[in-house]
Amino acid sequence: MEITNVSEYDIIAKQKLPKMVYDYYASGAEDQWTLKENMEAFSRILFRPRILIDVSRIDMTTTVLGFKISMPIMIAPTAMQKMAHPEGEYATARAASAAGTIMTLSSWATSSVEEVASTGPGVRFFQLYVYKDRNVVAQLVRRAERAGFKAIALTVDTPRLGRREADIKNRFTLPPFLTLKNFEGLDLGKMEKSDDSGLASYVAGQIDRSLSWKDVKWLQSITSLPILVKGVLTAEDASLAVQNGAAGIIVSNHGARQLDYVPATITALEEVVKAAQGRIPVFLDGGVRRGTDVFKALALGASGVFIGRPVVFSLAAEGEAGVRKVLQMLKDEFELTMALSGCTSLKEITRNHIITPSETKYSISARL
C-alpha cells in the first residue's frame, strides 16, 4: 500500500507491534476524550485563503532558540522507541538531522544521550523528568550538555502518571531486553513488573511530586542551557513561566495521557500565546497529523509544532525511512497549505487566515 498521509502509519504500526507496545504508544488517559479532541479540534478551524498572490517561491525556514531549521515542524520526546524498532532513537535522530529539524530526546529513551549524539550532527533538545534524587537530575543535565544537546524541555505536567487503562489491562512494562538507557548506571534503568502499569509504579517511586517553580530556578542555577517549560495549558501558567525565566513554552497535554478533559492543545494555544505577549516563543505539541494543522497552529501564534505519535508509528512501520517520510509529508503539505492560503513565508501567516469556532461572521468582518 502506498502511504499518502501520516495517519496511515498508525494502521500499519497497529498490525506490526505487540498489543502491549502499540497500546502504550496509542492510548490516552481514562475516557480518552482529550485524545480524540486533540485531533478533532483542528478540524473545527477553517481557512480564509488569500488569492492572486505570487507563491512561486515559498520559504518555510525558521529559527528556534537561535537555531535555524528547515521548517517549523520538530520531533517531540517519546519514550522507549526501541519498542517500536530495533534502531529506536538512533533512527529518529538521523531522520531529524536529514530533514534539517530538531529532535527532542526523552528522559525515558532506550538510547542514551551519548548514543544519540554519536549518530552525527543535528540540533537536539533533551526532555527532562525531575527525579526525587536531585543528584540524578544534575548528572543527567550535565551529560546532555556534554553530548551537545542545546536545550532542556522540562516536563511539568507529570507529578503523577495519568491513569492509562490500556497499560493497566496489559500490565505494561519495558520488555526485558531493553532499559531506560540514561539511567542504566544508576540502577534506575529497569521497570519492575507490577499489578498495575509498570510505568505508573516506576513514576510513583522515582518522580518528584513536590516539583514547583522554585525547581525551575534551581535548574537554571545548574545549567546554562535554555529551558522550555512543557505542559502549559493556561494563561496563568504562561505568565509564571515568563516570570521564572523560561526560554519558551510548549503547550502540551502530554498527548492526552495525563489529565483527561483538558482542552485540545490547539484550543488552549491562543490563551497561552496572548499571556506570553511575545516575550518568549510558544510551541504546540499534540494532535498534529497534517500540514494544515501546522498552518493553523502558526496562525494562532505558535512559533512551531512538535510531533510525537506519527514518529513512533512510522518508526515501527519503516524505521528511519518512515520517520523521514513523515517529516517530508508534513513539510510538503504545509508548503501546499501556505501556497493555497497566499503565504510565502512564516511571518505572512496571520490570525486573519483562519476562522475558529468561537467566531461569527460579525466578528470576522469586525476585525478586518
Side-chain angles (χ1 to χ4, degrees), residues 27 100 110 159 185 208 280 300:
S27 64
T110 38
D208 194 345
I280 57 175
L300 284 166

Side-chain angles (χ1 to χ4, degrees), residues 76-351:
T78 49
M80 314 176 210
Q81 291 181 13
K82 282 188 179 175
M83 293 196 306
H85 188 275
E87 292 187 0
E89 295 85 0
Y90 287 76
T92 303
R94 289 193 296 261
S97 182
T101 193
I102 292 165
M103 173 199 182
T104 315
L105 182 70
S106 169
S107 273
W108 295 337
T110 38
S111 313
S112 68
V113 287
E114 293 84 4
E115 287 171 335
V116 169
S118 77
T119 62
V123 180
R124 301 184 186 103
F125 295 170
F126 181 69
Q127 177 272 334
L128 181 69
Y129 284 113
V130 176
Y131 279 56
K132 290 173 182 171
D133 183 346
R134 289 295 194 275
N135 291 329
V136 167
V137 180
Q139 205 175 321
L140 200 50
V141 168
R142 277 197 295 274
R143 282 171 58 197
E145 281 178 334
R146 278 202 301 271
F149 284 69
K150 302 301 185 195
I152 301 290
L154 175 67
T155 295
V156 294
D157 59 10
T158 312
R160 296 172 61 172
L161 203 70
R163 185 174 170 81
R164 306 167 191 177
E165 293 177 8
D167 290 349
I168 297 168
K169 281 188 169 71
N170 294 330
R171 300 283 185 264
F172 172 80
T173 190
L174 189 61
F177 56 91
L178 295 174
T179 59
L180 302 178
K181 259 300 204 287
N182 287 313
F183 300 96
E184 206 173 30
L186 301 160
D187 290 335
L188 298 170
K190 280 287 180 195
M191 208 175 283
E192 302 304 320
K193 275 210 175 308
S194 138
D195 292 339
D196 191 343
S197 148
L199 185 61
S201 303
Y202 181 86
V203 168
Q206 301 298 338
I207 302 303
D208 194 345
R209 295 183 185 187
S210 75
L211 190 68
S212 71
W213 288 108
K214 71 177 189 312
D215 297 294
V216 177
K217 291 286 194 201
W218 169 76
L219 200 53
Q220 287 165 338
S221 76
I222 66 159
T223 182
S224 57
L225 292 179
I227 296 163
L228 298 169
V229 177
K230 179 177 184 284
V232 173
L233 291 170
T234 63
E236 296 90 328
D237 285 333
S239 298
L240 285 167
V242 173
Q243 284 167 34
N244 283 280
I249 288 168
I250 303 174
V251 175
S252 171
N253 53 34
H254 210 114
R257 294 156 76 76
Q258 284 299 99
L259 180 61
D260 201 14
Y261 297 99
V262 294
T265 48
I266 194 68
T267 307
L269 176 62
E270 196 164 30
E271 172 183 330
V272 173
V273 166
K274 283 177 175 166
Q277 296 177 332
R279 291 172 290 183
I280 57 175
V282 175
F283 305 95
L284 174 127
D285 163 77
V288 173
R289 298 294 183 275
R290 285 279 188 189
T292 48
D293 298 338
V294 181
F295 187 101
K296 290 170 184 179
L298 268 61
L300 284 166
S303 293
V305 304
F306 288 88
I307 57 165
R309 286 186 181 89
V311 171
V312 284
F313 292 151
S314 59
L315 182 65
E318 293 174 358
E320 181 185 337
V323 181
R324 283 184 183 226
K325 189 161 182 189
V326 154
L327 290 167
Q328 190 63 49
M329 281 192 291
L330 287 173
K331 186 180 187 182
D332 291 346
E333 288 178 8
F334 177 54
E335 183 179 34
L336 182 59
T337 307
M338 284 179 69
L340 296 178
S341 297
C343 299
T344 63
S345 68
L346 303 193
K347 68 176 186 297
E348 291 179 7
I349 301 172
T350 70
R351 186 65 175 75

